[in-house]
Amino acid sequence: MPQHNLTRDEARERSALVDVSSYEHTLILTGVGESFRVRSRIRFTAAPESSTFIDAITASVERVRLNGLDLDLAEVVGPARIALPGLTAENELIVDAHFHYMNTGEGLHRFVDPIDDEIYLYSQFEVPDARRVFPVFEQPDIKAPFSFTVVAPDKWTVVSNSPTPTPGSPAETFTELGETPLPSMAVWQFAPTTPISSYITAIIAGPYRSVHSELTSSDGSLVPLGLYCRSSLFEHLDAENLFGVTKAGFEFFEREFGVSYPFEKYDQLFVPEFNAGAMENAGAVTILENYVFRSRPTEALVERRTVTVLHELAHMWFGDLVTMRWWNDLWLNESFAEFMSTLATAEATDFAEAWTTFATIEKSWAYRQDQLPSTHPIVAPIEDLADVEVNFDGITYAKGASVLKQLVAWVGREQFFTGLKRYFDKHAWSNTELADLLDELEATSGRDLTSWSRLWLEESGVNLIEAAVETGDDGAISSLRVDQLPWSLEGQPTPSLRPHRLAIGFYSDGGDGRLALTHSFPLDLDGESVEVEEARGLPRPDVIIVNDADLSYTKVRFDEASMGTAARRLSDFDDSLTQLLVLATLWDEVRDGERPVQDYIDTVMTHLGAITHSSGLLTQMRQLDSAVSAYLPPQQRETMHARLADRFLELLATVPEGSDQAFQFVRGFIKHASTEEQLDRLSSWLTPETGSVFGITLDTDLTWEILIGLCAHDAVEDAAVAEMSRRDPSATGVRQAATARASRPTTAAKSWTFTRLVDDAGLPNSELGALALGFGAGLQRPSGEIIASDAPLRPFSEEYFARVAGWWETRTLEMAQTMTMRLYPPVSEGTVEATRQWLTDHPAAPKGLLRLMRENLADAERALRVQRVSSASNGSLNIDS
């Protein structure tokens, strides 16, 4: 099913013509068949004698009636639009059509639970997919009240933006629609919403089970709360924790914003096969059901769920109450929600070190994105939907949130939140642009934000800050200078030097074997350099940390002596944030080809036992995998995987049994086990008498990880996978089995998997992702060669470059993106050359595809540079345990 575009100019022209009074949509949802019927009545004003169009991606259209006249369907119905000619000042449009059920996580997604064969539906509309469910003027600045009437099986639960009504008899609705009544059906008639944008409307239907609570809002009103999930997952829904986080978030946001919750109720629905973490539908948030933990989660995952819950709650104000006018101001939604959710997590929940997590995960995401050829300003130029659909990235979310954190420090926290209250009060239920927000912040802070906005929000790129230190014969500091340099990318404008509020930290050993903070020098850097006058005459510390406490958004470099000591004595720092900032700097140097990757691997392997911050530890585990699998030359990877697996076993003997560290180290051993002895040990964990290892219960999901690890080395029979599938017939089990079978490093397994991925257009999004994950595992042999394919397939790399453009013509956006990124061939000189040639040969390819291919190329070129540095060196840091 192809994608369809809408330009900013078209949207601007349409919003100047059209003002919608109301949408009334009636949907008949049985969950059976390929499509469902929708009858829509839209009332709107328009410029007399003008014409426009309404968006609708339909299976069929039976009737279009405009102002009492039936229009010729052949003349007005297009692939994604219905033309509306001859408009009057007041208009009524009636559309009767059928729309497709989807299995791609877009539009109205249909899922059948393999455990009980029950059907579950949910909508996902951001950016432009409400048009896959009903006719709509699909752009954020045409807000209107939405009224939904849903006919569905009477045993189902139906949830939308408005409070769920008591279901009634559908007889009258069937009569109005001219439909033959269906047995065992009911009708839910939802009250009209407040004026909202189409992308945050929602319909969720199926035999969902729920638990309910309530809270009193700051304005005294009672807000009902609901938590929903599939029946087969309900026993795992930890409602007490989720309600606790939600209520803490309500109290925090209402206090800080000075504005009460703007909707009538707040439901959170954990839904299957969701493409993202969650979606901020007004009053009916949909969330990835992986956050219903059926097996033990890491503490990092529990924290991530907390941040996600609070992120979506923050959207009720940022995005839902006040919405960007067009998608170039998407950051007004996402950056604010990201910043506020971390702030709330740190100050209103048990995860007080949330800013450490932010520095470790979110900012590293932002830095990576900001150094790709696709980097863009936070306020991005968005000319059409093709621009925005791939812009939900590390800049829009994490860089924007990082910059907002600096803005709060720049204008003052009290002034910042006072400005936000004015912003919400002035623009409630309407649409805004960047200038609307800056006006309020300038008014409350007294600062001119024009220059700040231009440098931080309207220019792309990241700069580098480093310290230059000189000492006298007595070891005292004679000069400490902090320099800022532009970090230039080929084909991108050189970023301006930006104003930074940051700190330089001195860390020294006072004789107790610890590296403790002795001095912290806050400073403003606005230009090329600044001298740290207070440091002159002090003894040189053991380590000088640039951007101490992670106050600013910037690449950093330590002086060589400081980095050497910091890496060698990483375990001696007193706080996790400093540890992780050192590792982030070292990792950045490796990625830039300034150090061999062995330096990073050796440092982490030596000090991993001292990293106790769960999200920080998870990040290092992931980066270790990337270091070995992408940045080491292929010929060195097998040996390094084995070394890592042995190291995890050593660490497991030193950390408390059953701890989060132990859990992550067990998973690390599973990931890297590769020798015959290691794989035999891993296999022994599958015996019935082995219920736990190192205090970690071998639960369902951990058992699947073991099987996938063994399959990746072809070290387990498929009968074991089949038996586990029998024991775990859930949707997760189906996906895990697909990944396991696709992981086998054989021609037969990879060929079968690739053929399914590229030829079976009916694959649901979850299975496609699971198969693609397994396909990439072990595809590149230690020699650097890619596993051969079976005839009639050409080599996998050739197949990829021959087919990738076609995926963007025949698949939806989510599916095309997944295939483009996940099936990209392993890094080699041949892959780089083939990508360059593809880009030369396809200058007119869809913009989203061109962006992803340029990113693929940039990542591959970077990996080759790092591999060359690693091949030429055995490491430059002396890391001793």
Side-chain angles (χ1 to χ4, degrees), residues 537-787:
L538 293 174
R540 177 178 175 130
D542 293 324
V543 178
I544 299 173
I545 299 289
V546 181
N547 197 28
D548 193 37
D550 192 49
L551 299 180
S552 191
Y553 176 83
T554 177
K555 291 166 70 77
V556 300
R557 293 292 183 265
F558 304 162
D559 64 277
E560 190 65 24
S562 290
M563 177 54 77
T565 301
R568 187 174 64 255
R569 299 190 57 184
L570 190 75
S571 300
D572 296 337
F573 286 102
D574 287 328
D575 69 286
S576 58
L577 178 57
T578 305
Q579 287 179 329
L580 296 169
L581 288 176
V582 170
L583 289 173
T585 302
L586 181 59
W587 180 243
D588 192 50
E589 290 179 336
V590 167
R591 281 176 39 83
D592 287 343
E594 297 173 9
R595 288 189 188 275
V597 71
Q598 290 92 338
D599 282 2
Y600 174 80
I601 295 172
D602 290 344
T603 300
V604 175
M605 287 176 69
T606 300
H607 298 286
L608 205 55
I611 302 174
T612 58
H613 186 276
S614 183
S615 295
L617 179 57
L618 181 66
T619 297
Q620 303 315 311
M621 301 285 278
R622 289 173 175 170
Q623 288 177 181
L624 268 178
D625 186 43
S626 296
V628 178
S629 301
Y631 290 165
L632 272 183
Q635 298 78 7
Q636 299 178 22
R637 293 174 189 168
E638 198 167 11
T639 299
M640 188 59 75
H641 280 303
R643 281 185 57 197
L644 284 174
D646 284 341
R647 178 58 177 155
F648 286 126
L649 291 178
E650 292 174 2
L651 288 166
L652 281 162
T654 67
V655 300
E657 286 199 352
S659 64
D660 185 77
Q661 271 188 308
F663 183 35
Q664 296 207 42
F665 293 159
V666 165
R667 298 178 74 192
F669 176 74
I670 295 169
K671 180 74 174 179
H672 294 281
S674 54
T675 68
E676 184 176 350
E677 181 181 358
Q678 291 165 351
L679 293 172
D680 285 346
R681 182 163 189 168
L682 200 54
S683 296
S684 72
W685 292 358
L686 292 175
T687 58
E689 59 270 18
T690 307
S692 66
V693 292
F694 303 100
I696 306 301
T697 301
L698 295 174
D699 55 28
T700 302
D701 289 333
L702 198 56
T703 301
W704 273 119
E705 286 190 42
I706 294 170
L707 280 171
I708 291 169
L710 291 170
C711 282
H713 294 278
D714 210 19
V716 67
E717 297 295 329
D718 194 59
V721 178
E723 171 59 19
M724 188 61 191
S725 295
R726 186 191 65 77
R727 289 164 48 196
D728 179 24
S730 68
T732 302
V734 171
R735 294 194 296 271
Q736 300 280 44
T739 299
R741 294 186 172 107
S743 294
R744 293 192 184 278
T746 65
T747 291
K750 299 304 183 188
S751 298
W752 175 85
T753 304
F754 188 85
T755 299
R756 283 213 68 197
L757 287 167
V758 300
D759 288 349
D760 187 354
L763 272 179
N765 58 335
S766 61
E767 189 173 355
L768 183 138
L771 287 169
L773 179 64
F775 176 75
L779 186 60
Q780 188 175 37
R781 297 190 183 279
S783 64
E785 298 298 316
I786 297 176
I787 290 175

Side-chain angles (χ1 to χ4, degrees), residues 119-121 150 152-160 164 188 190 203-210 212 228-229 269:
I119 296 170
Y120 292 86
L121 308 175
V150 178
D154 55 16
K155 68 175 183 176
W156 282 12
T157 297
V158 181
V159 177
S160 186
T164 298
W188 288 259
F190 291 89
I203 297 166
I204 303 95
Y208 289 91
R209 292 186 63 184
S210 60
H212 297 268
Y228 296 75
C229 71
L269 304 105

Side-chain angles (χ1 to χ4, degrees), residues 27 58 66 78 96 142 167 192 212 265 273 328 384-385 402 472 475 487 527 551 570 630 738 744 752 756 832 840:
L27 299 86
T58 61
L66 179 62
D96 211 328
I142 299 184
H212 297 268
K265 52 91 175 180
E273 300 183 326
N328 57 303
D384 55 22
L385 295 180
S402 302
W487 190 264
L551 299 180
L570 190 75
R744 293 192 184 278
W752 175 85
R756 283 213 68 197
V832 166
T840 299

